[in-house]
Amino acid sequence: MKVAIGSDHAGYSKKRDLMPFLLREGHEVLDEGCYDEESCDYPDFARKVTERVRRGVADRGILICGTGIGMAIAANKVPGIRAAVCWNSKTAAAAAEHNMANVLCLGSRMLTLVQMKRLIRLWIETPFGPDRHRRRVGKITAIERSFLCCGKHHKP
Ligand code: RB5
């Protein structure tokens, strides 16, 4: 799988340490920054990673900030992105099985590196669930489309 990964300063060291793990797991990694611990703004990296996923350059995206929350809020503004903040095995598996999450958001101040690796593996390896989940994800896409029509905001 091709995985785009990005972080802000709070997530930088975890991103740095996760990249060799992803390579060892057999994935191709696109590093979208940041590249040091100097203070920076998480939406910039949410944008870079989600653009890669949206355009199909990457299959999945991983975003790391202090909590995962800011990254998820920013990422979910991008059409076609389903970003999930996950904090344990159940949420990581459900994000894949129920929500077809194509971006995983992790909190560097909430999770250890070992926990992150476990969540990433689960999220990547868990298949999307049965038809009722497809129907629900389809309804999410329909909401998104109703607001995108002609570049204007329309009532759904
Ligand atoms: C940075 O201090 C912090 O606000 C950011 O990493 C993230 O947690 C935002 O959601």
Side-chain angles (χ1 to χ4, degrees), residues 86-111:
C86 295
W87 59 92
N88 59 19
S89 301
K90 277 192 177 171
T91 52
E97 188 186 335
H98 293 221
N99 314 115
M100 211 196 241
N102 50 11
V103 173
L104 178 68
C105 300
L106 301 171
S108 62
R109 294 172 181 156
M110 312 293 143
L111 297 166

PDB file of all heavy atoms in Angstrom, residues 86-111:
ATOM      1  N   CYS A  86      -8.387   7.577  16.162  1.00  0.00           N
ATOM      2  CA  CYS A  86      -8.476   6.263  16.828  1.00  0.00           C
ATOM      3  C   CYS A  86      -7.533   6.247  18.020  1.00  0.00           C
ATOM      4  O   CYS A  86      -6.461   6.848  17.985  1.00  0.00           O
ATOM      5  CB  CYS A  86      -8.114   5.161  15.845  1.00  0.00           C
ATOM      6  SG  CYS A  86      -9.312   5.065  14.496  1.00  0.00           S
ATOM      7  N   TRP A  87      -7.956   5.542  19.044  1.00  0.00           N
ATOM      8  CA  TRP A  87      -7.157   5.536  20.287  1.00  0.00           C
ATOM      9  C   TRP A  87      -7.017   4.144  20.886  1.00  0.00           C
ATOM     10  O   TRP A  87      -6.333   3.959  21.879  1.00  0.00           O
ATOM     11  CB  TRP A  87      -7.756   6.507  21.306  1.00  0.00           C
ATOM     12  CG  TRP A  87      -9.175   6.186  21.676  1.00  0.00           C
ATOM     13  CD1 TRP A  87      -9.595   5.413  22.721  1.00  0.00           C
ATOM     14  CD2 TRP A  87     -10.359   6.613  21.000  1.00  0.00           C
ATOM     15  NE1 TRP A  87     -10.967   5.334  22.727  1.00  0.00           N
ATOM     16  CE2 TRP A  87     -11.470   6.068  21.690  1.00  0.00           C
ATOM     17  CE3 TRP A  87     -10.607   7.409  19.859  1.00  0.00           C
ATOM     18  CZ2 TRP A  87     -12.789   6.288  21.281  1.00  0.00           C
ATOM     19  CZ3 TRP A  87     -11.917   7.629  19.465  1.00  0.00           C
ATOM     20  CH2 TRP A  87     -12.985   7.077  20.172  1.00  0.00           C
ATOM     21  N   ASN A  88      -7.659   3.163  20.313  1.00  0.00           N
ATOM     22  CA  ASN A  88      -7.466   1.785  20.801  1.00  0.00           C
ATOM     23  C   ASN A  88      -7.797   0.807  19.667  1.00  0.00           C
ATOM     24  O   ASN A  88      -8.199   1.233  18.570  1.00  0.00           O
ATOM     25  CB  ASN A  88      -8.305   1.504  22.057  1.00  0.00           C
ATOM     26  CG  ASN A  88      -9.802   1.696  21.809  1.00  0.00           C
ATOM     27  OD1 ASN A  88     -10.247   1.693  20.664  1.00  0.00           O
ATOM     28  ND2 ASN A  88     -10.564   1.857  22.866  1.00  0.00           N
ATOM     29  N   SER A  89      -7.634  -0.492  19.956  1.00  0.00           N
ATOM     30  CA  SER A  89      -7.801  -1.488  18.895  1.00  0.00           C
ATOM     31  C   SER A  89      -9.211  -1.464  18.316  1.00  0.00           C
ATOM     32  O   SER A  89      -9.398  -1.578  17.101  1.00  0.00           O
ATOM     33  CB  SER A  89      -7.517  -2.890  19.442  1.00  0.00           C
ATOM     34  OG  SER A  89      -6.219  -2.916  19.942  1.00  0.00           O
ATOM     35  N   LYS A  90     -10.199  -1.327  19.187  1.00  0.00           N
ATOM     36  CA  LYS A  90     -11.583  -1.354  18.700  1.00  0.00           C
ATOM     37  C   LYS A  90     -11.879  -0.197  17.754  1.00  0.00           C
ATOM     38  O   LYS A  90     -12.533  -0.374  16.728  1.00  0.00           O
ATOM     39  CB  LYS A  90     -12.564  -1.302  19.885  1.00  0.00           C
ATOM     40  CG  LYS A  90     -12.814  -2.646  20.515  1.00  0.00           C
ATOM     41  CD  LYS A  90     -13.989  -2.624  21.463  1.00  0.00           C
ATOM     42  CE  LYS A  90     -14.211  -4.043  21.997  1.00  0.00           C
ATOM     43  NZ  LYS A  90     -15.182  -4.086  23.074  1.00  0.00           N
ATOM     44  N   THR A  91     -11.413   0.994  18.106  1.00  0.00           N
ATOM     45  CA  THR A  91     -11.713   2.131  17.230  1.00  0.00           C
ATOM     46  C   THR A  91     -10.938   2.022  15.912  1.00  0.00           C
ATOM     47  O   THR A  91     -11.463   2.383  14.852  1.00  0.00           O
ATOM     48  CB  THR A  91     -11.426   3.484  17.925  1.00  0.00           C
ATOM     49  OG1 THR A  91     -10.095   3.472  18.454  1.00  0.00           O
ATOM     50  CG2 THR A  91     -12.416   3.750  19.050  1.00  0.00           C
ATOM     51  N   ALA A  92      -9.720   1.501  15.953  1.00  0.00           N
ATOM     52  CA  ALA A  92      -8.938   1.361  14.716  1.00  0.00           C
ATOM     53  C   ALA A  92      -9.576   0.341  13.773  1.00  0.00           C
ATOM     54  O   ALA A  92      -9.661   0.558  12.566  1.00  0.00           O
ATOM     55  CB  ALA A  92      -7.500   0.955  15.046  1.00  0.00           C
ATOM     56  N   ALA A  93     -10.052  -0.769  14.338  1.00  0.00           N
ATOM     57  CA  ALA A  93     -10.684  -1.797  13.497  1.00  0.00           C
ATOM     58  C   ALA A  93     -12.027  -1.288  12.964  1.00  0.00           C
ATOM     59  O   ALA A  93     -12.352  -1.472  11.780  1.00  0.00           O
ATOM     60  CB  ALA A  93     -10.878  -3.079  14.303  1.00  0.00           C
ATOM     61  N   ALA A  94     -12.791  -0.609  13.818  1.00  0.00           N
ATOM     62  CA  ALA A  94     -14.102  -0.107  13.373  1.00  0.00           C
ATOM     63  C   ALA A  94     -13.947   0.991  12.320  1.00  0.00           C
ATOM     64  O   ALA A  94     -14.770   1.094  11.399  1.00  0.00           O
ATOM     65  CB  ALA A  94     -14.895   0.421  14.569  1.00  0.00           C
ATOM     66  N   ALA A  95     -12.916   1.795  12.446  1.00  0.00           N
ATOM     67  CA  ALA A  95     -12.701   2.853  11.451  1.00  0.00           C
ATOM     68  C   ALA A  95     -12.553   2.243  10.057  1.00  0.00           C
ATOM     69  O   ALA A  95     -13.027   2.806   9.068  1.00  0.00           O
ATOM     70  CB  ALA A  95     -11.453   3.653  11.809  1.00  0.00           C
ATOM     71  N   ALA A  96     -11.916   1.078   9.987  1.00  0.00           N
ATOM     72  CA  ALA A  96     -11.767   0.390   8.701  1.00  0.00           C
ATOM     73  C   ALA A  96     -13.035  -0.364   8.338  1.00  0.00           C
ATOM     74  O   ALA A  96     -13.556  -0.240   7.222  1.00  0.00           O
ATOM     75  CB  ALA A  96     -10.586  -0.579   8.767  1.00  0.00           C
ATOM     76  N   GLU A  97     -13.558  -1.127   9.270  1.00  0.00           N
ATOM     77  CA  GLU A  97     -14.687  -2.020   8.965  1.00  0.00           C
ATOM     78  C   GLU A  97     -16.011  -1.263   8.771  1.00  0.00           C
ATOM     79  O   GLU A  97     -16.773  -1.547   7.854  1.00  0.00           O
ATOM     80  CB  GLU A  97     -14.853  -3.038  10.099  1.00  0.00           C
ATOM     81  CG  GLU A  97     -15.873  -4.112   9.781  1.00  0.00           C
ATOM     82  CD  GLU A  97     -16.133  -5.026  10.964  1.00  0.00           C
ATOM     83  OE1 GLU A  97     -15.260  -5.153  11.828  1.00  0.00           O
ATOM     84  OE2 GLU A  97     -17.221  -5.603  11.007  1.00  0.00           O
ATOM     85  N   HIS A  98     -16.279  -0.288   9.619  1.00  0.00           N
ATOM     86  CA  HIS A  98     -17.572   0.406   9.568  1.00  0.00           C
ATOM     87  C   HIS A  98     -17.528   1.668   8.707  1.00  0.00           C
ATOM     88  O   HIS A  98     -18.506   1.990   8.034  1.00  0.00           O
ATOM     89  CB  HIS A  98     -18.021   0.822  10.969  1.00  0.00           C
ATOM     90  CG  HIS A  98     -18.359  -0.327  11.865  1.00  0.00           C
ATOM     91  ND1 HIS A  98     -19.442  -0.314  12.715  1.00  0.00           N
ATOM     92  CD2 HIS A  98     -17.752  -1.516  12.055  1.00  0.00           C
ATOM     93  CE1 HIS A  98     -19.496  -1.456  13.390  1.00  0.00           C
ATOM     94  NE2 HIS A  98     -18.470  -2.196  13.011  1.00  0.00           N
ATOM     95  N   ASN A  99     -16.418   2.402   8.807  1.00  0.00           N
ATOM     96  CA  ASN A  99     -16.396   3.759   8.243  1.00  0.00           C
ATOM     97  C   ASN A  99     -15.534   3.901   6.996  1.00  0.00           C
ATOM     98  O   ASN A  99     -15.464   4.986   6.432  1.00  0.00           O
ATOM     99  CB  ASN A  99     -15.916   4.767   9.302  1.00  0.00           C
ATOM    100  CG  ASN A  99     -16.598   4.569  10.641  1.00  0.00           C
ATOM    101  OD1 ASN A  99     -15.957   4.215  11.631  1.00  0.00           O
ATOM    102  ND2 ASN A  99     -17.901   4.750  10.692  1.00  0.00           N
ATOM    103  N   MET A 100     -14.873   2.847   6.601  1.00  0.00           N
ATOM    104  CA  MET A 100     -13.979   2.889   5.426  1.00  0.00           C
ATOM    105  C   MET A 100     -13.059   4.108   5.511  1.00  0.00           C
ATOM    106  O   MET A 100     -12.868   4.829   4.523  1.00  0.00           O
ATOM    107  CB  MET A 100     -14.800   2.962   4.139  1.00  0.00           C
ATOM    108  CG  MET A 100     -14.163   2.304   2.948  1.00  0.00           C
ATOM    109  SD  MET A 100     -14.987   2.850   1.453  1.00  0.00           S
ATOM    110  CE  MET A 100     -15.623   1.350   0.814  1.00  0.00           C
ATOM    111  N   ALA A 101     -12.525   4.343   6.702  1.00  0.00           N
ATOM    112  CA  ALA A 101     -11.671   5.521   6.906  1.00  0.00           C
ATOM    113  C   ALA A 101     -10.420   5.398   6.042  1.00  0.00           C
ATOM    114  O   ALA A 101      -9.704   4.399   6.116  1.00  0.00           O
ATOM    115  CB  ALA A 101     -11.287   5.641   8.380  1.00  0.00           C
ATOM    116  N   ASN A 102     -10.187   6.414   5.222  1.00  0.00           N
ATOM    117  CA  ASN A 102      -8.980   6.371   4.390  1.00  0.00           C
ATOM    118  C   ASN A 102      -7.839   7.204   4.993  1.00  0.00           C
ATOM    119  O   ASN A 102      -6.736   7.231   4.438  1.00  0.00           O
ATOM    120  CB  ASN A 102      -9.279   6.772   2.938  1.00  0.00           C
ATOM    121  CG  ASN A 102     -10.063   8.062   2.828  1.00  0.00           C
ATOM    122  OD1 ASN A 102     -10.222   8.777   3.800  1.00  0.00           O
ATOM    123  ND2 ASN A 102     -10.550   8.346   1.623  1.00  0.00           N
ATOM    124  N   VAL A 103      -8.132   7.872   6.093  1.00  0.00           N
ATOM    125  CA  VAL A 103      -7.083   8.602   6.818  1.00  0.00           C
ATOM    126  C   VAL A 103      -7.207   8.273   8.309  1.00  0.00           C
ATOM    127  O   VAL A 103      -8.300   8.332   8.876  1.00  0.00           O
ATOM    128  CB  VAL A 103      -7.206  10.125   6.587  1.00  0.00           C
ATOM    129  CG1 VAL A 103      -6.224  10.891   7.465  1.00  0.00           C
ATOM    130  CG2 VAL A 103      -6.974  10.471   5.110  1.00  0.00           C
ATOM    131  N   LEU A 104      -6.080   7.932   8.906  1.00  0.00           N
ATOM    132  CA  LEU A 104      -6.033   7.606  10.333  1.00  0.00           C
ATOM    133  C   LEU A 104      -5.361   8.763  11.071  1.00  0.00           C
ATOM    134  O   LEU A 104      -4.256   9.171  10.693  1.00  0.00           O
ATOM    135  CB  LEU A 104      -5.229   6.315  10.528  1.00  0.00           C
ATOM    136  CG  LEU A 104      -5.016   5.831  11.961  1.00  0.00           C
ATOM    137  CD1 LEU A 104      -6.327   5.378  12.592  1.00  0.00           C
ATOM    138  CD2 LEU A 104      -4.001   4.679  11.978  1.00  0.00           C
ATOM    139  N   CYS A 105      -6.026   9.281  12.090  1.00  0.00           N
ATOM    140  CA  CYS A 105      -5.470  10.393  12.857  1.00  0.00           C
ATOM    141  C   CYS A 105      -5.111   9.910  14.251  1.00  0.00           C
ATOM    142  O   CYS A 105      -5.945   9.316  14.949  1.00  0.00           O
ATOM    143  CB  CYS A 105      -6.491  11.528  12.949  1.00  0.00           C
ATOM    144  SG  CYS A 105      -6.959  12.164  11.328  1.00  0.00           S
ATOM    145  N   LEU A 106      -3.886  10.178  14.661  1.00  0.00           N
ATOM    146  CA  LEU A 106      -3.385   9.671  15.935  1.00  0.00           C
ATOM    147  C   LEU A 106      -2.854  10.808  16.795  1.00  0.00           C
ATOM    148  O   LEU A 106      -2.259  11.767  16.274  1.00  0.00           O
ATOM    149  CB  LEU A 106      -2.265   8.652  15.681  1.00  0.00           C
ATOM    150  CG  LEU A 106      -2.656   7.428  14.849  1.00  0.00           C
ATOM    151  CD1 LEU A 106      -1.409   6.613  14.491  1.00  0.00           C
ATOM    152  CD2 LEU A 106      -3.670   6.552  15.577  1.00  0.00           C
ATOM    153  N   GLY A 107      -3.034  10.676  18.092  1.00  0.00           N
ATOM    154  CA  GLY A 107      -2.567  11.691  19.036  1.00  0.00           C
ATOM    155  C   GLY A 107      -1.235  11.300  19.632  1.00  0.00           C
ATOM    156  O   GLY A 107      -1.150  10.325  20.391  1.00  0.00           O
ATOM    157  N   SER A 108      -0.206  12.094  19.318  1.00  0.00           N
ATOM    158  CA  SER A 108       1.135  11.749  19.818  1.00  0.00           C
ATOM    159  C   SER A 108       1.232  11.906  21.327  1.00  0.00           C
ATOM    160  O   SER A 108       2.080  11.296  21.963  1.00  0.00           O
ATOM    161  CB  SER A 108       2.181  12.634  19.143  1.00  0.00           C
ATOM    162  OG  SER A 108       1.915  13.972  19.485  1.00  0.00           O
ATOM    163  N   ARG A 109       0.346  12.750  21.894  1.00  0.00           N
ATOM    164  CA  ARG A 109       0.391  12.958  23.342  1.00  0.00           C
ATOM    165  C   ARG A 109      -0.540  11.990  24.073  1.00  0.00           C
ATOM    166  O   ARG A 109      -0.665  12.031  25.287  1.00  0.00           O
ATOM    167  CB  ARG A 109       0.009  14.405  23.674  1.00  0.00           C
ATOM    168  CG  ARG A 109       1.033  15.400  23.142  1.00  0.00           C
ATOM    169  CD  ARG A 109       0.579  16.841  23.276  1.00  0.00           C
ATOM    170  NE  ARG A 109       1.595  17.752  22.727  1.00  0.00           N
ATOM    171  CZ  ARG A 109       1.333  18.963  22.280  1.00  0.00           C
ATOM    172  NH1 ARG A 109       0.097  19.445  22.320  1.00  0.00           N
ATOM    173  NH2 ARG A 109       2.295  19.719  21.788  1.00  0.00           N
ATOM    174  N   MET A 110      -1.202  11.156  23.311  1.00  0.00           N
ATOM    175  CA  MET A 110      -2.179  10.221  23.871  1.00  0.00           C
ATOM    176  C   MET A 110      -1.724   8.771  23.767  1.00  0.00           C
ATOM    177  O   MET A 110      -2.222   7.904  24.478  1.00  0.00           O
ATOM    178  CB  MET A 110      -3.525  10.328  23.117  1.00  0.00           C
ATOM    179  CG  MET A 110      -4.024  11.734  22.930  1.00  0.00           C
ATOM    180  SD  MET A 110      -4.459  12.435  24.527  1.00  0.00           S
ATOM    181  CE  MET A 110      -3.944  14.128  24.309  1.00  0.00           C
ATOM    182  N   LEU A 111      -0.832   8.503  22.808  1.00  0.00           N
ATOM    183  CA  LEU A 111      -0.484   7.112  22.479  1.00  0.00           C
ATOM    184  C   LEU A 111       1.023   6.927  22.463  1.00  0.00           C
ATOM    185  O   LEU A 111       1.758   7.830  22.056  1.00  0.00           O
ATOM    186  CB  LEU A 111      -1.029   6.750  21.091  1.00  0.00           C
ATOM    187  CG  LEU A 111      -2.555   6.785  20.908  1.00  0.00           C
ATOM    188  CD1 LEU A 111      -2.902   6.739  19.431  1.00  0.00           C
ATOM    189  CD2 LEU A 111      -3.194   5.616  21.638  1.00  0.00           C
TER     190      LEU A 111
END
